[in-house]
PDB file of all heavy atoms in Angstrom:
ATOM      1  N   SER A  20     172.902 249.315 153.320  1.00  0.00           N
ATOM      2  CA  SER A  20     172.980 250.845 153.819  1.00  0.00           C
ATOM      3  C   SER A  20     174.339 251.172 153.878  1.00  0.00           C
ATOM      4  O   SER A  20     175.297 250.483 154.066  1.00  0.00           O
ATOM      5  CB  SER A  20     172.219 250.768 155.168  1.00  0.00           C
ATOM      6  OG  SER A  20     172.984 250.030 156.062  1.00  0.00           O
ATOM      7  N   ARG A  21     174.426 252.548 153.805  1.00  0.00           N
ATOM      8  CA  ARG A  21     175.707 253.212 153.860  1.00  0.00           C
ATOM      9  C   ARG A  21     176.474 252.857 155.203  1.00  0.00           C
ATOM     10  O   ARG A  21     177.628 252.703 155.212  1.00  0.00           O
ATOM     11  CB  ARG A  21     175.487 254.705 153.768  1.00  0.00           C
ATOM     12  CG  ARG A  21     176.770 255.550 153.979  1.00  0.00           C
ATOM     13  CD  ARG A  21     176.542 257.007 153.855  1.00  0.00           C
ATOM     14  NE  ARG A  21     177.687 257.744 154.180  1.00  0.00           N
ATOM     15  CZ  ARG A  21     177.678 258.937 154.534  1.00  0.00           C
ATOM     16  NH1 ARG A  21     176.495 259.650 154.524  1.00  0.00           N
ATOM     17  NH2 ARG A  21     178.828 259.641 154.833  1.00  0.00           N
ATOM     18  N   GLY A  22     175.543 252.766 156.297  1.00  0.00           N
ATOM     19  CA  GLY A  22     176.244 252.414 157.633  1.00  0.00           C
ATOM     20  C   GLY A  22     176.815 251.141 157.690  1.00  0.00           C
ATOM     21  O   GLY A  22     177.664 250.900 158.639  1.00  0.00           O
ATOM     22  N   THR A  23     176.502 250.121 156.827  1.00  0.00           N
ATOM     23  CA  THR A  23     177.138 248.850 156.892  1.00  0.00           C
ATOM     24  C   THR A  23     178.258 248.754 155.914  1.00  0.00           C
ATOM     25  O   THR A  23     178.801 247.588 155.870  1.00  0.00           O
ATOM     26  CB  THR A  23     176.065 247.758 156.548  1.00  0.00           C
ATOM     27  OG1 THR A  23     175.614 247.892 155.205  1.00  0.00           O
ATOM     28  CG2 THR A  23     174.937 247.817 157.581  1.00  0.00           C
ATOM     29  N   ARG A  24     178.625 249.703 155.160  1.00  0.00           N
ATOM     30  CA  ARG A  24     179.743 249.705 154.305  1.00  0.00           C
ATOM     31  C   ARG A  24     181.138 250.071 155.071  1.00  0.00           C
ATOM     32  O   ARG A  24     181.044 250.702 155.992  1.00  0.00           O
ATOM     33  CB  ARG A  24     179.627 250.687 153.140  1.00  0.00           C
ATOM     34  CG  ARG A  24     178.378 250.573 152.283  1.00  0.00           C
ATOM     35  CD  ARG A  24     178.089 249.317 151.644  1.00  0.00           C
ATOM     36  NE  ARG A  24     177.334 248.415 152.431  1.00  0.00           N
ATOM     37  CZ  ARG A  24     177.344 247.073 152.388  1.00  0.00           C
ATOM     38  NH1 ARG A  24     178.039 246.438 151.547  1.00  0.00           N
ATOM     39  NH2 ARG A  24     176.573 246.435 153.199  1.00  0.00           N
ATOM     40  N   HIS A  25     182.221 249.727 154.422  1.00  0.00           N
ATOM     41  CA  HIS A  25     183.485 250.309 155.006  1.00  0.00           C
ATOM     42  C   HIS A  25     184.408 250.436 153.892  1.00  0.00           C
ATOM     43  O   HIS A  25     184.252 249.835 152.697  1.00  0.00           O
ATOM     44  CB  HIS A  25     184.078 249.206 156.002  1.00  0.00           C
ATOM     45  CG  HIS A  25     184.748 248.030 155.402  1.00  0.00           C
ATOM     46  ND1 HIS A  25     184.114 246.952 154.890  1.00  0.00           N
ATOM     47  CD2 HIS A  25     186.114 247.806 155.196  1.00  0.00           C
ATOM     48  CE1 HIS A  25     184.924 246.051 154.513  1.00  0.00           C
ATOM     49  NE2 HIS A  25     186.106 246.556 154.641  1.00  0.00           N
ATOM     50  N   GLU A  26     185.393 251.297 154.042  1.00  0.00           N
ATOM     51  CA  GLU A  26     186.409 251.694 153.068  1.00  0.00           C
ATOM     52  C   GLU A  26     187.483 250.614 153.150  1.00  0.00           C
ATOM     53  O   GLU A  26     188.142 250.478 154.152  1.00  0.00           O
ATOM     54  CB  GLU A  26     186.915 253.032 153.285  1.00  0.00           C
ATOM     55  CG  GLU A  26     185.895 254.185 153.204  1.00  0.00           C
ATOM     56  CD  GLU A  26     186.379 255.550 153.659  1.00  0.00           C
ATOM     57  OE1 GLU A  26     187.567 255.675 154.121  1.00  0.00           O
ATOM     58  OE2 GLU A  26     185.600 256.410 153.657  1.00  0.00           O
ATOM     59  N   ASP A  27     187.612 249.883 152.028  1.00  0.00           N
ATOM     60  CA  ASP A  27     188.763 248.845 152.017  1.00  0.00           C
ATOM     61  C   ASP A  27     189.912 249.455 151.187  1.00  0.00           C
ATOM     62  O   ASP A  27     189.907 249.426 150.046  1.00  0.00           O
ATOM     63  CB  ASP A  27     188.200 247.586 151.352  1.00  0.00           C
ATOM     64  CG  ASP A  27     189.177 246.515 151.265  1.00  0.00           C
ATOM     65  OD1 ASP A  27     190.398 246.693 151.514  1.00  0.00           O
ATOM     66  OD2 ASP A  27     188.766 245.307 150.958  1.00  0.00           O
ATOM     67  N   TRP A  28     190.905 249.834 152.046  1.00  0.00           N
ATOM     68  CA  TRP A  28     192.131 250.411 151.411  1.00  0.00           C
ATOM     69  C   TRP A  28     193.139 249.357 150.984  1.00  0.00           C
ATOM     70  O   TRP A  28     194.186 249.600 150.379  1.00  0.00           O
ATOM     71  CB  TRP A  28     192.765 251.363 152.395  1.00  0.00           C
ATOM     72  CG  TRP A  28     191.956 252.597 152.669  1.00  0.00           C
ATOM     73  CD1 TRP A  28     191.022 252.774 153.560  1.00  0.00           C
ATOM     74  CD2 TRP A  28     191.955 253.849 152.036  1.00  0.00           C
ATOM     75  NE1 TRP A  28     190.430 253.992 153.615  1.00  0.00           N
ATOM     76  CE2 TRP A  28     191.091 254.628 152.527  1.00  0.00           C
ATOM     77  CE3 TRP A  28     192.757 254.302 150.884  1.00  0.00           C
ATOM     78  CZ2 TRP A  28     190.778 255.999 152.004  1.00  0.00           C
ATOM     79  CZ3 TRP A  28     192.603 255.608 150.443  1.00  0.00           C
ATOM     80  CH2 TRP A  28     191.615 256.462 151.055  1.00  0.00           C
ATOM     81  N   ASP A  29     192.819 248.081 151.540  1.00  0.00           N
ATOM     82  CA  ASP A  29     193.844 246.971 151.115  1.00  0.00           C
ATOM     83  C   ASP A  29     193.648 246.281 149.711  1.00  0.00           C
ATOM     84  O   ASP A  29     194.519 245.855 149.160  1.00  0.00           O
ATOM     85  CB  ASP A  29     193.769 246.042 152.261  1.00  0.00           C
ATOM     86  CG  ASP A  29     194.192 246.481 153.461  1.00  0.00           C
ATOM     87  OD1 ASP A  29     195.145 247.396 153.637  1.00  0.00           O
ATOM     88  OD2 ASP A  29     193.596 246.113 154.581  1.00  0.00           O
ATOM     89  N   THR A  30     192.403 246.240 149.253  1.00  0.00           N
ATOM     90  CA  THR A  30     192.027 245.375 148.197  1.00  0.00           C
ATOM     91  C   THR A  30     192.811 245.990 146.820  1.00  0.00           C
ATOM     92  O   THR A  30     193.285 245.228 145.967  1.00  0.00           O
ATOM     93  CB  THR A  30     190.566 245.325 147.866  1.00  0.00           C
ATOM     94  OG1 THR A  30     190.426 244.237 146.911  1.00  0.00           O
ATOM     95  CG2 THR A  30     189.937 246.594 147.229  1.00  0.00           C
ATOM     96  N   LEU A  31     193.232 247.151 146.806  1.00  0.00           N
ATOM     97  CA  LEU A  31     193.946 247.752 145.625  1.00  0.00           C
ATOM     98  C   LEU A  31     195.306 248.143 146.118  1.00  0.00           C
ATOM     99  O   LEU A  31     196.134 248.859 145.488  1.00  0.00           O
ATOM    100  CB  LEU A  31     193.241 248.898 144.998  1.00  0.00           C
ATOM    101  CG  LEU A  31     191.886 248.499 144.287  1.00  0.00           C
ATOM    102  CD1 LEU A  31     191.094 249.774 144.010  1.00  0.00           C
ATOM    103  CD2 LEU A  31     192.185 247.685 143.105  1.00  0.00           C
ATOM    104  N   GLY A  32     195.690 247.831 147.386  1.00  0.00           N
ATOM    105  CA  GLY A  32     196.881 248.229 148.005  1.00  0.00           C
ATOM    106  C   GLY A  32     198.176 247.710 147.285  1.00  0.00           C
ATOM    107  O   GLY A  32     199.180 248.506 147.346  1.00  0.00           O
ATOM    108  N   PHE A  33     198.074 246.702 146.500  1.00  0.00           N
ATOM    109  CA  PHE A  33     199.248 246.271 145.828  1.00  0.00           C
ATOM    110  C   PHE A  33     199.662 247.276 144.790  1.00  0.00           C
ATOM    111  O   PHE A  33     200.842 247.401 144.429  1.00  0.00           O
ATOM    112  CB  PHE A  33     198.943 244.919 145.024  1.00  0.00           C
ATOM    113  CG  PHE A  33     198.046 244.969 143.828  1.00  0.00           C
ATOM    114  CD1 PHE A  33     198.463 245.244 142.504  1.00  0.00           C
ATOM    115  CD2 PHE A  33     196.716 244.945 144.000  1.00  0.00           C
ATOM    116  CE1 PHE A  33     197.760 245.239 141.490  1.00  0.00           C
ATOM    117  CE2 PHE A  33     195.849 245.050 142.944  1.00  0.00           C
ATOM    118  CZ  PHE A  33     196.374 245.218 141.628  1.00  0.00           C
ATOM    119  N   GLN A  34     198.763 248.059 144.231  1.00  0.00           N
ATOM    120  CA  GLN A  34     199.122 249.019 143.305  1.00  0.00           C
ATOM    121  C   GLN A  34     199.916 250.201 143.816  1.00  0.00           C
ATOM    122  O   GLN A  34     200.663 250.940 143.222  1.00  0.00           O
ATOM    123  CB  GLN A  34     197.903 249.666 142.686  1.00  0.00           C
ATOM    124  CG  GLN A  34     197.060 248.732 141.768  1.00  0.00           C
ATOM    125  CD  GLN A  34     195.806 249.267 141.206  1.00  0.00           C
ATOM    126  OE1 GLN A  34     195.361 250.319 141.412  1.00  0.00           O
ATOM    127  NE2 GLN A  34     195.175 248.415 140.287  1.00  0.00           N
ATOM    128  N   ALA A  35     199.713 250.448 145.267  1.00  0.00           N
ATOM    129  CA  ALA A  35     200.545 251.505 145.947  1.00  0.00           C
ATOM    130  C   ALA A  35     202.029 251.172 145.914  1.00  0.00           C
ATOM    131  O   ALA A  35     202.927 252.044 146.229  1.00  0.00           O
ATOM    132  CB  ALA A  35     200.017 251.718 147.344  1.00  0.00           C
ATOM    133  N   LYS A  36     202.464 249.889 145.563  1.00  0.00           N
ATOM    134  CA  LYS A  36     203.833 249.558 145.313  1.00  0.00           C
ATOM    135  C   LYS A  36     204.476 250.474 144.329  1.00  0.00           C
ATOM    136  O   LYS A  36     205.710 250.672 144.263  1.00  0.00           O
ATOM    137  CB  LYS A  36     204.085 248.096 145.007  1.00  0.00           C
ATOM    138  CG  LYS A  36     203.573 247.242 146.149  1.00  0.00           C
ATOM    139  CD  LYS A  36     203.845 245.793 145.543  1.00  0.00           C
ATOM    140  CE  LYS A  36     203.286 244.719 146.595  1.00  0.00           C
ATOM    141  NZ  LYS A  36     203.350 243.367 145.926  1.00  0.00           N
ATOM    142  N   ALA A  37     203.670 251.008 143.415  1.00  0.00           N
ATOM    143  CA  ALA A  37     204.074 251.863 142.315  1.00  0.00           C
ATOM    144  C   ALA A  37     204.179 253.333 142.828  1.00  0.00           C
ATOM    145  O   ALA A  37     204.533 254.236 142.025  1.00  0.00           O
ATOM    146  CB  ALA A  37     203.245 251.828 141.092  1.00  0.00           C
ATOM    147  N   GLY A  38     203.684 253.611 144.001  1.00  0.00           N
ATOM    148  CA  GLY A  38     203.729 254.967 144.681  1.00  0.00           C
ATOM    149  C   GLY A  38     202.484 255.329 145.281  1.00  0.00           C
ATOM    150  O   GLY A  38     201.372 254.738 145.099  1.00  0.00           O
ATOM    151  N   ASP A  39     202.583 256.143 146.338  1.00  0.00           N
ATOM    152  CA  ASP A  39     201.439 256.468 147.234  1.00  0.00           C
ATOM    153  C   ASP A  39     200.228 257.111 146.413  1.00  0.00           C
ATOM    154  O   ASP A  39     199.130 257.053 146.788  1.00  0.00           O
ATOM    155  CB  ASP A  39     201.822 257.549 148.384  1.00  0.00           C
ATOM    156  CG  ASP A  39     202.651 256.820 149.384  1.00  0.00           C
ATOM    157  OD1 ASP A  39     202.689 255.584 149.407  1.00  0.00           O
ATOM    158  OD2 ASP A  39     203.254 257.608 150.147  1.00  0.00           O
ATOM    159  N   ARG A  40     200.543 257.658 145.145  1.00  0.00           N
ATOM    160  CA  ARG A  40     199.411 258.259 144.429  1.00  0.00           C
ATOM    161  C   ARG A  40     198.348 257.177 143.985  1.00  0.00           C
ATOM    162  O   ARG A  40     197.292 257.505 143.535  1.00  0.00           O
ATOM    163  CB  ARG A  40     200.005 259.024 143.262  1.00  0.00           C
ATOM    164  CG  ARG A  40     200.513 258.232 142.110  1.00  0.00           C
ATOM    165  CD  ARG A  40     201.142 259.062 141.055  1.00  0.00           C
ATOM    166  NE  ARG A  40     201.446 258.292 139.829  1.00  0.00           N
ATOM    167  CZ  ARG A  40     202.760 257.732 139.696  1.00  0.00           C
ATOM    168  NH1 ARG A  40     203.590 257.847 140.534  1.00  0.00           N
ATOM    169  NH2 ARG A  40     202.911 257.099 138.512  1.00  0.00           N
ATOM    170  N   PHE A  41     198.698 255.877 144.112  1.00  0.00           N
ATOM    171  CA  PHE A  41     197.790 254.826 143.668  1.00  0.00           C
ATOM    172  C   PHE A  41     196.991 254.267 144.917  1.00  0.00           C
ATOM    173  O   PHE A  41     196.154 253.312 144.765  1.00  0.00           O
ATOM    174  CB  PHE A  41     198.516 253.698 143.037  1.00  0.00           C
ATOM    175  CG  PHE A  41     199.124 254.144 141.764  1.00  0.00           C
ATOM    176  CD1 PHE A  41     200.409 254.339 141.648  1.00  0.00           C
ATOM    177  CD2 PHE A  41     198.396 254.553 140.700  1.00  0.00           C
ATOM    178  CE1 PHE A  41     201.002 254.845 140.447  1.00  0.00           C
ATOM    179  CE2 PHE A  41     198.858 255.005 139.461  1.00  0.00           C
ATOM    180  CZ  PHE A  41     200.236 255.172 139.306  1.00  0.00           C
ATOM    181  N   LYS A  42     197.050 254.947 146.047  1.00  0.00           N
ATOM    182  CA  LYS A  42     196.198 254.490 147.209  1.00  0.00           C
ATOM    183  C   LYS A  42     194.762 255.067 147.072  1.00  0.00           C
ATOM    184  O   LYS A  42     194.547 256.231 146.803  1.00  0.00           O
ATOM    185  CB  LYS A  42     196.806 255.128 148.563  1.00  0.00           C
ATOM    186  CG  LYS A  42     198.020 254.490 148.961  1.00  0.00           C
ATOM    187  CD  LYS A  42     198.636 254.952 150.254  1.00  0.00           C
ATOM    188  CE  LYS A  42     199.967 254.389 150.636  1.00  0.00           C
ATOM    189  NZ  LYS A  42     200.363 254.931 151.960  1.00  0.00           N
TER     190      LYS A  42
END
Side-chain angles (χ1 to χ4, degrees):
S20 65
R21 177 181 171 198
T23 62
R24 306 298 93 204
H25 79 282
E26 297 170 3
D27 183 346
W28 292 89
D29 295 328
T30 196
L31 296 166
F33 73 94
Q34 293 178 355
K36 293 177 187 176
D39 285 347
R40 72 182 189 270
F41 296 108
K42 289 182 180 178

